[in-house]
Amino acid sequence: MKKNLLLTLLFLFSFQYLHAQSWIAKIDFGGTGRNRACSFSIPELHKYYLVGGYDYSYSQEVWEFDTLTNAWTQKQNFPGASTTCVAFSINGKGYVGTGVGGGYTWSNLFYEYDPSTDTWTQKANFPGAARGYCVGFATETRGYIGGGFNGTPGVFIAFTDFYEYDPATDSWIAIANYPGAGAALGASGFSVNGKGYVGCGSSIDVNGVQTLHNDFWEYDPVTNSWNAKANYAGGIIGEATSFSICDKGYIGLGYNVPHASFKKDFYQFDPATNTWNQIADYGGPARAYSPGAAIGNSGYAGTGHDGIILMKDFYEYRIKHDADFSASDTLICVGDAVSFLSISNFSTTNWNWNFSGGNPSTSTLPNPTINFDAAGYYDITLTVYGECDSITITKTNYIHVIDFPSINNLGNDTAICEGDSLLLDAGNGGGTFLWSNGSTAQSIWVSVDGNYFVVVSDGNCSGSDSIVITIINCNQPSLSVSDTSVCQKFCVNYFDLTLNSVEWHWTFEGGSPSTSILQNPTQICYNTPGVYDVTLITKDALGNSDTIALLNFMTVNATPALPTITQVGYVLTSSIASSYQWQFNSVDIPGATLQSYTATSTGFYTVVIGNETGCVSSNTIYVLITGVEEISGNEF
């Protein structure tokens, strides 16, 4: 059953993942239809920005899309060349540069956009030749631009040089040239985990003839090196749309015949496995020249051209990150364990569980096993942390813990007399009973010794209890005493433990009184030191009698003779003993445990002496203090 459950969950995970991605139509772009625009996003503001583009003129318009309100707002115009530009964002600001204007006006200008003030500021020029159709990407602190071409038909020049921009210093440095084939026109780029990824696009000859490619490369800023990766799975492609979400990159749309054969398929690249996987097709018609950017778990793309129409529709690609969990059982008995299984449709290595009533109450394992030690209904909460976000799911009263059936405590092991029987009752705790002797009744009579065991079940949980029965001869006398070793002139109490007795005859050697017919005689005193016997004769209702004689049962220790107290001045000295305790007016004097003590106040002084057996005696003397001793110290 567990294996089938796991297979079902894995299938469910795959199904959820495939259906957790979709393209969602948003409100149309706020300006006129266009292509060859560039775009960037400010994730902190949940804003997407579309810059420039060609709408049958070279537009310099800038439009902001608020992903929270699904609304477009026109912003301050871009001051540079606004078609085939390159754009990216770093630390809450947008950066746009290169591009082409009317009459093959190529640009190497570079600008910073501040969304808080809606202003453009010119920055250090792109250091390479003025050009358009470049490709770019950005890491957390650096931007990268390269490739592209410039010139006029018949004298086009393609480039493979690449440059890194540092916004903190407003400076550019050259990095390793791009080794791929298609950097000149319409290549695609994005970044994941601090590395850049560039590929596809077209190489171009001097006459502008394009050759499409699907090679794909990774740039490592640490080593300043390019490394070949798996070719784009969608085949040769140019003027495609690209963006990255969390730890994956995405490329789609574009054309596989220059300016024709437009596409709408999309693919996801996983740098960790160097693999491409096809995802849901773009939500609108096939097209190329559609700029893309990502915010959180969503990618955005729109506008573009299908060879006939300049488009203005706009779509969001959403990865719906879901978290869920299952349990091996949700109805359990007290003390049982539950195995939990985390189910998520996104990559994670961090889990935070909270189990009300659980032991332990928290876990960071993906699939923990938890014990529940008390009856009740318990909430379970799981927070799953991904690369971009975290998701918390709580299932209220998810685990129901049932207490064991309430059964009678059959008690401690017990004894019954020969010929008697005892009723063992399992109580009213459940629907079924099963005793160790095979009985299914609620209660049973027993008359032989042994270990009796019962299991009680209520249909959900079961409890058990047991008792050991011993058969004894109830006529055998038995007794106990409050103390078997006393001091001379002390008294004790005796108790009969014999079952079914109705008459008693006690004999106490050395005791006073020396005999008794009470069941439990008290205040039997011993006035003479020695070792004495005790005898008990019992008789039951049938006249049967028996005797128990306990030889040397009682030890009586001698009490020491009364001490004598000698007074010299105010020094009191006791006769020799094993121990001493002086008292003043019948109250122990702390620390006064020596043979002598010096009186300091008028009153009664008592010494309590003890011998080696612990018995004591005492004597008292009255001391009168008649003067005050001289106090040493400074004289006045």
Side-chain angles (χ1 to χ4, degrees):
M1 289 297 293
K2 290 184 177 179
K3 184 175 182 181
N4 291 337
L5 174 63
L6 179 60
L7 291 174
T8 300
L9 291 173
L10 289 174
F11 172 78
L12 177 62
F13 169 80
S14 299
F15 179 82
Q16 287 180 332
Y17 181 76
L18 290 174
H19 289 78
Q21 11 171 343
S22 60
W23 288 93
I24 301 168
K26 313 303 289 185
I27 190 171
D28 281 357
F29 169 62
T32 56
R34 64 194 59 197
N35 69 351
R36 293 186 174 90
C38 60
S39 66
F40 62 89
S41 64
I42 306 294
E44 303 91 327
L45 303 177
H46 303 280
K47 304 289 180 64
Y48 168 99
Y49 294 85
L50 189 143
V51 179
Y54 180 77
D55 63 350
Y56 301 110
S57 66
Y58 290 88
S59 173
Q60 292 180 296
E61 293 176 350
V62 177
W63 289 82
E64 173 192 89
F65 177 71
D66 188 328
T67 63
L68 300 181
T69 62
N70 190 32
W72 289 93
T73 303
Q74 189 169 359
K75 313 301 287 186
Q76 184 69 35
N77 278 1
F78 176 62
S82 56
T83 63
T84 72
C85 49
V86 173
F88 49 76
S89 67
I90 298 174
N91 293 331
K93 295 184 178 180
Y95 295 89
V96 181
T98 68
V100 61
Y104 293 102
T105 303
W106 305 97
S107 174
N108 68 344
L109 301 179
F110 191 68
Y111 294 86
E112 175 188 85
Y113 177 73
D114 186 340
S116 65
T117 58
D118 187 26
T119 55
W120 291 93
T121 302
Q122 187 171 353
K123 310 301 286 186
N125 287 349
F126 173 72
R131 67 190 74 178
Y133 295 91
C134 297
V135 62
F137 58 87
T139 62
E140 288 188 2
T141 60
R142 301 288 192 275
Y144 298 84
I145 297 177
F149 75 96
N150 66 17
T152 57
V155 290
F156 281 130
I157 302 172
F159 301 100
T160 60
D161 51 340
F162 240 88
Y163 299 87
E164 174 189 272
Y165 177 71
D166 182 353
T169 60
D170 187 28
S171 61
W172 295 88
I173 60 170
I175 63 172
N177 283 2
Y178 177 65
L185 192 156
S188 298
F190 54 78
S191 66
V192 172
N193 294 332
K195 295 183 178 180
Y197 295 87
V198 176
C200 305
S202 303
S203 55
I204 188 169
D205 66 15
V206 294
N207 295 309
V209 177
Q210 299 175 230
T211 302
L212 292 166
H213 304 276
N214 70 337
D215 55 334
F216 196 68
W217 298 80
E218 173 190 85
Y219 176 71
D220 186 343
V222 175
T223 60
N224 186 29
S225 61
W226 294 90
N227 303 292
K229 310 304 286 186
N231 286 352
Y232 173 62
I236 58 174
I237 196 79
E239 297 292 357
T241 299
S242 60
F243 50 79
S244 61
I245 300 175
C246 295
D247 58 354
K248 306 289 191 301
Y250 297 83
I251 296 179
L253 301 178
Y255 51 64
N256 59 13
V257 174
H259 313 293
S261 188
F262 295 91
K263 300 172 66 63
K264 61 183 299 181
D265 52 345
F266 246 89
Y267 293 82
Q268 176 199 78
F269 178 70
D270 185 347
T273 59
N274 190 30
T275 56
W276 292 92
N277 296 289
Q278 188 167 5
I279 62 171
D281 284 357
Y282 182 70
R287 69 192 66 192
Y289 318 107
S290 175
I295 298 173
N297 292 325
S298 296
Y300 295 87
T303 68
H305 188 219
D306 66 355
I308 300 175
I309 301 172
L310 292 176
M311 300 180 178
K312 59 182 297 181
D313 54 345
F314 192 69
Y315 284 82
E316 172 191 4
Y317 172 72
R318 180 179 300 172
I319 299 178
K320 184 182 179 183
H321 281 175
D322 287 325
D324 198 1
F325 59 85
S326 65
S328 57
D329 203 344
T330 57
L331 179 64
I332 62 171
C333 301
V334 169
D336 285 352
V338 178
S339 295
F340 292 89
L341 177 64
S342 170
I343 306 169
S344 169
N345 66 359
F346 64 107
S347 175
T348 180
T349 57
N350 294 283
W351 302 265
N352 189 355
W353 296 86
N354 280 278
F355 307 99
S356 65
N359 181 22
S361 61
T362 62
S363 177
T364 56
L365 298 175
N367 305 312
T369 298
I370 306 298
N371 286 83
F372 291 86
D373 300 324
Y377 289 86
Y378 298 107
D379 302 343
I380 309 299
T381 298
L382 170 63
T383 299
V384 181
Y385 298 90
E387 292 289 338
C388 294
D389 59 1
S390 65
I391 297 176
T392 298
I393 178 172
T394 297
K395 296 187 179 182
T396 305
N397 295 334
Y398 185 61
I399 299 296
H400 182 194
V401 183
I402 303 173
D403 207 348
F404 291 113
S406 176
I407 64 175
N408 286 346
N409 184 349
L410 298 181
N412 298 323
D413 300 347
T414 191
I416 60 175
C417 299
E418 291 178 350
D420 287 349
S421 59
L422 178 67
L423 179 66
L424 301 180
D425 186 1
N428 299 313
T432 63
F433 306 86
L434 180 61
W435 293 86
S436 51
N437 64 358
S439 175
T440 57
Q442 177 181 318
S443 58
I444 61 172
W445 288 93
V446 297
S447 58
V448 296
D449 57 11
N451 183 15
Y452 290 87
F453 188 91
V454 63
V455 176
V456 182
S457 176
D458 61 4
N460 293 306
C461 302
S462 61
S464 63
D465 202 356
S466 65
I467 188 172
V468 175
I469 304 298
T470 304
I471 304 299
I472 63 172
N473 180 355
C474 292
N475 290 326
Q476 179 64 41
S478 180
L479 62 87
S480 67
V481 67
S482 58
D483 202 340
T484 59
S485 179
V486 297
C487 294
Q488 181 183 357
K489 299 181 182 180
F490 278 74
C491 305
V492 297
N493 301 323
Y494 284 90
F495 306 93
D496 167 49
L497 302 180
T498 308
L499 300 178
N500 299 328
S501 297
V502 295
E503 293 184 22
W504 305 267
H505 184 78
W506 296 82
T507 300
F508 308 108
E509 181 186 13
S512 178
S514 61
T515 62
S516 177
I517 59 173
L518 298 177
Q519 181 180 8
N520 301 309
T522 61
Q523 291 300 299
I524 307 301
C525 302
Y526 291 88
N527 300 316
T528 304
V531 179
Y532 301 106
D533 301 338
V534 174
T535 302
L536 172 61
I537 301 173
T538 63
K539 184 180 292 186
D540 63 20
L542 300 177
N544 300 313
S545 65
D546 209 340
T547 301
I548 180 174
L550 302 177
L551 302 179
N552 299 326
F553 183 68
M554 178 61 65
T555 300
V556 180
N557 300 303
T559 299
L562 291 177
T564 60
I565 301 175
T566 302
Q567 179 177 355
V568 178
Y570 298 121
V571 177
L572 308 178
T573 302
S574 169
S575 55
I576 296 175
S578 296
S579 64
Y580 311 88
Q581 175 61 60
W582 291 91
Q583 299 176 338
F584 177 67
N585 293 337
S586 301
V587 177
D588 285 353
I589 301 172
T593 58
L594 301 177
Q595 185 176 359
S596 296
Y597 180 75
T598 301
T600 59
S601 302
T602 298
F604 291 94
Y605 288 85
T606 300
V607 64
V608 180
I609 65 170
N611 61 17
E612 64 277 358
T613 65
C615 295
V616 298
S617 63
S618 64
N619 200 359
T620 301
I621 187 172
Y622 180 79
V623 177
L624 175 64
I625 304 298
T626 59
V628 178
E629 294 183 2
E630 181 180 352
I631 300 174
S632 63
N634 295 328
E635 297 181 355
F636 297 92

